[in-house]
Amino acid sequence: QVQLVESGGGLVQPGGSLRLSCAASGRILNFVAMAWHRRAPAKERELVSTISGGGITSYADSVKGRFTISRPNANYAVYLQMNSLKPEDTAVYYCHLITWGGNCWGQGTQVTVSS
């Protein structure tokens, strides 16, 4: 059974940075991509960023130029470097693993941007 474990959330002041990490364990077949989503209070879940097996990335307009998604070589893991954080980035961030056979979600990690 595939499991995703996230880490790196926390409280940061506006303008600060955080790095989220997500590591997958278990048998993973037919990998497609990994992604980060977020859900802010009283809002719907938002796709933040994706990275494919070939390294192609995409970002929501709200985070372009501030967030960077990356994967370590030959590992089913993903990072999200978040710079110039804003209060509106406050949310629970979820890691998402996508394969041709299905997908898996992490438990979420809280990011709070506040002074």
Side-chain angles (χ1 to χ4, degrees):
Q1 184 175 355
V2 177
Q3 289 187 320
L4 299 178
V5 178
E6 300 131 330
S7 60
L11 173 64
V12 64
Q13 292 186 342
S17 298
L18 281 175
R19 187 194 197 205
L20 304 183
S21 299
C22 172
S25 62
R27 190 177 184 209
I28 298 170
L29 299 175
N30 302 316
F31 174 83
V32 175
M34 296 188 79
W36 288 97
H37 301 249
R38 66 186 180 186
R39 176 170 281 159
K43 292 188 177 180
E44 294 197 354
R45 188 178 65 199
E46 175 188 21
L47 175 60
V48 176
S49 182
T50 62
I51 184 165
S52 72
I56 298 172
T57 60
S58 65
Y59 298 91
D61 287 343
S62 57
V63 306
K64 278 181 182 175
R66 300 187 298 122
F67 290 11
T68 302
I69 193 170
S70 63
R71 288 184 58 221
N73 292 334
N75 284 320
Y76 294 111
V78 64
Y79 304 127
L80 187 67
Q81 178 67 42
M82 306 185 294
N83 299 329
S84 302
L85 282 161
K86 305 175 181 179
E88 51 264 43
D89 294 317
T90 295
V92 178
Y93 285 70
Y94 297 91
C95 180
H96 184 203
L97 170 69
I98 305 157
T99 74
W100 289 112
N103 56 78
C104 181
W105 292 86
Q107 80 285 356
T109 185
Q110 176 71 46
V111 171
T112 302
V113 185
S114 174
S115 55

